[in-house]
Amino acid sequence: MGTRRIFLKRAGFSTLALSLPFAETLSAMNFERDDKILRVAIMGLGSYGTRVAEAMVNCQRAKLVGVISGTPSKVETWKQKYGIPDKNCYHYDNFDQIKDNPDIDAVYVITPNSLHKPYSIRVAKAGKHVICEKPMALNAAEGQEMVAACKAAGVHLLVGYRMHFEAKTQEVVRQQRAGEFGETLFFQGLSGFRIGDPTQWRLNYELAGGGSMMDIGIYSINGARYMLGEEPTWVTAQEVKTDPVKFKENVDETITFQMGFPSGAVASCLSTYSLNNLDKFFLNGTKGFAEMQPSTGYGPIKAWTNKGPVEAEHITHQTTQMDEMAAIILDGKKPMIPVDGEEGLKDLVIIDAIYKAVKTGEKVMIS
Ligand code: NAD
């Protein structure tokens, strides 16, 4: 890909300008390759895709250059708004052709959950880097397939874990790793919101793969892991359903779950689609504590420890995320908290175990 990327620069623009019709020349000017910029196509122009696109306007290292959508009217709007050329617009039936488009480096998959795996694998087979929203897939087996496909294709697989780049989160994690809270033996994660429209895909098992756990509970799972800096070895979980009409079979409304870690630390978490104002992390150690609320919302995040408030500038999470992901893909930068496919897979293994624990009522061991 590197050779193709720098073709325009090497060719020298004046030579190129003479050999191309005017429109193509303009297009070449717009997308002249800069090896420091990750050129991204967004797949799924829904509410989160829109948020990411707006945040990317302020990126230094990532640029929105393409779209993949099944809705022509949205494509038209995005083309106008972001100056996207026709040749970088695809729909779900033809996006495999992206393999022949040297002006796109990566595709950000922001579709309903069940489409993450098939679409990410198609993107990988087209030779483009994959950025995929959380949950990376519906279960660990699917996640494993994605990791293998991206490895086989020689492309990066990154998961949209925007909190891993958030400054206050990183500062709390730094203090935890430095031992400033002593031995951290307890984590509490509360993740939830009151879901509206009963017809939305988030409440459709086929598209969502579950309920609140897939969508919002995953923040507490992921948070427990990065706040404690360990991987759990067991889970227990209990489900509560107050509205079986809205929350059909296999679509969880509320799950409380516990995780045990090798150090002896435990996590106690709540995932729900029935309560607002649930966005809180609490980490307690033998020498101190950290508390974050909101802890994973779009921010500003608020964090404090036993020593006082944690101060850091609020930057739109997705702006930082996309710049940092550009650095990971283009420069091989290692993020403080991983965001690769293996990281996404770890959360899926835990989600599988939580659903199993709910069904069996048993403690489920994670190897
Ligand atoms: P949304 O419903 O607003 O958008 C989904 C998009 O996918 C729409 O444009 C829709 O047209 C398209 N789509 C393609 N095929 C579809 C199909 N068969 N059925 C329904 N829609 C289809 O949803 P969203 O809130 O943008 O969520 C999309 C993904 O982003 C989810 O995986 C979600 O978990 C994730 N997300 C992540 C964050 C975060 O902070 N990281 C926040 C919100 C959503």
Side-chain angles (χ1 to χ4, degrees):
M1 230 180 297
T3 333
R4 275 182 288 161
R5 277 187 201 144
I6 53 176
F7 166 73
L8 290 176
K9 269 194 199 163
R10 289 229 178 106
F13 188 68
S14 52
T15 321
L16 194 75
L18 288 173
S19 61
L20 291 175
F22 183 63
E24 280 176 50
T25 306
L26 268 184
S27 170
M29 281 174 79
N30 285 341
F31 293 94
E32 185 178 359
R33 182 65 186 128
D34 176 344
D35 280 342
K36 293 201 174 318
I37 302 289
L38 183 75
R39 299 160 311 164
V40 179
I42 288 185
M43 174 191 290
L45 314 184
S47 83
Y48 196 63
T50 300
R51 186 178 285 274
V52 171
E54 280 164 13
M56 283 181 71
V57 170
N58 294 317
C59 280
Q60 304 290 314
R61 305 266 338 248
K63 181 170 165 55
L64 173 65
V65 300
V67 291
I68 298 147
S69 168
T71 314
S73 59
K74 285 189 200 165
V75 173
E76 224 23 71
T77 310
W78 282 51
K79 270 169 59 182
Q80 302 294 327
K81 190 164 178 189
Y82 299 109
I84 295 168
D86 278 332
K87 68 174 192 62
N88 288 0
C89 298
Y90 297 85
H91 50 79
Y92 295 106
D93 295 333
N94 76 354
F95 76 80
D96 308 272
Q97 291 169 15
I98 215 163
K99 71 177 191 315
D100 300 318
N101 189 334
D103 294 333
I104 294 173
D105 303 315
V107 174
Y108 195 162
V109 178
I110 317 187
T111 60
N113 306 341
S114 67
L115 302 171
H116 291 179
K117 182 195 93 164
Y119 287 167
S120 293
I121 291 178
R122 278 173 62 187
V123 169
K125 286 188 172 159
K128 304 298 177 181
H129 300 295
V130 180
I131 304 173
C132 178
E133 254 319 309
K134 45 56 59 177
M136 187 174 92
L138 299 187
N139 51 53
E142 281 197 5
Q144 191 68 63
E145 276 185 66
M146 290 167 72
V147 169
C150 290
K151 203 169 175 187
V155 296
H156 282 269
L157 168 59
L158 305 180
V159 185
Y161 288 130
R162 62 189 158 77
M163 300 315 299
H164 293 203
F165 305 106
E166 194 277 325
K168 289 178 189 169
T169 303
Q170 289 194 338
E171 175 54 19
V172 170
V173 168
R174 188 200 63 74
Q175 290 188 25
Q176 192 273 349
R177 302 293 189 271
E180 292 181 26
F181 307 124
E183 266 185 89
T184 44
L185 292 174
F186 180 71
F187 172 84
Q188 182 190 40
L190 306 177
S191 301
F193 65 94
R194 232 179 129 68
I195 199 158
D197 178 11
T199 65
Q200 64 185 286
W201 68 261
R202 283 182 166 77
L203 296 172
N204 173 339
Y205 176 64
E206 302 302 319
L207 287 168
S212 74
M213 184 60 65
M214 300 301 282
D215 193 38
I216 192 76
I218 190 172
Y219 283 97
S220 275
I221 296 172
N222 192 251
R225 294 178 43 247
Y226 63 68
M227 296 281 274
L228 288 165
E230 295 186 78
E231 300 303 326
T233 52
W234 58 260
V235 303
T236 49
Q238 309 78 34
E239 182 175 9
V240 176
K241 198 173 277 198
T242 65
D243 186 346
V245 176
K246 187 168 185 180
F247 304 102
K248 301 202 166 49
E249 195 180 353
N250 295 322
V251 177
D252 48 287
E253 176 184 348
T254 299
I255 292 179
T256 52
F257 59 100
Q258 303 76 39
M259 296 186 276
F261 295 81
S263 68
V266 286
S268 172
C269 304
L270 174 67
S271 164
T272 185
Y273 266 157
S274 287
L275 285 169
N276 285 331
N277 307 310
L278 274 181
D279 182 5
K280 181 176 171 179
F281 285 175
F282 175 61
L283 182 69
N284 204 5
T286 50
K287 291 202 289 193
F289 69 85
E291 204 161 347
M292 306 179 73
Q293 185 176 18
S295 55
T296 65
Y298 297 134
I301 299 300
K302 285 195 191 133
W304 58 99
T305 71
N306 49 298
K307 292 182 202 142
V310 176
E311 308 285 4
E313 185 192 356
H314 170 70
I315 301 170
T316 303
H317 297 171
Q318 297 81 4
T319 306
T320 311
Q321 173 201 328
M322 293 309 291
D323 274 340
E324 289 295 316
M325 286 186 165
I328 292 169
I329 291 173
L330 299 176
D331 309 342
K333 184 175 176 181
K334 292 266 171 283
M336 178 186 188
I337 310 169
V339 288
D340 56 14
E342 300 290 346
E343 171 75 9
L345 187 54
K346 285 176 183 168
D347 286 338
L348 295 172
V349 167
I350 298 169
I351 289 178
D352 284 355
I354 288 171
Y355 281 138
K356 188 172 173 193
V358 163
K359 278 213 163 66
T360 60
E362 311 253 312
K363 180 177 189 173
V364 175
M365 305 307 293
I366 298 172
S367 50

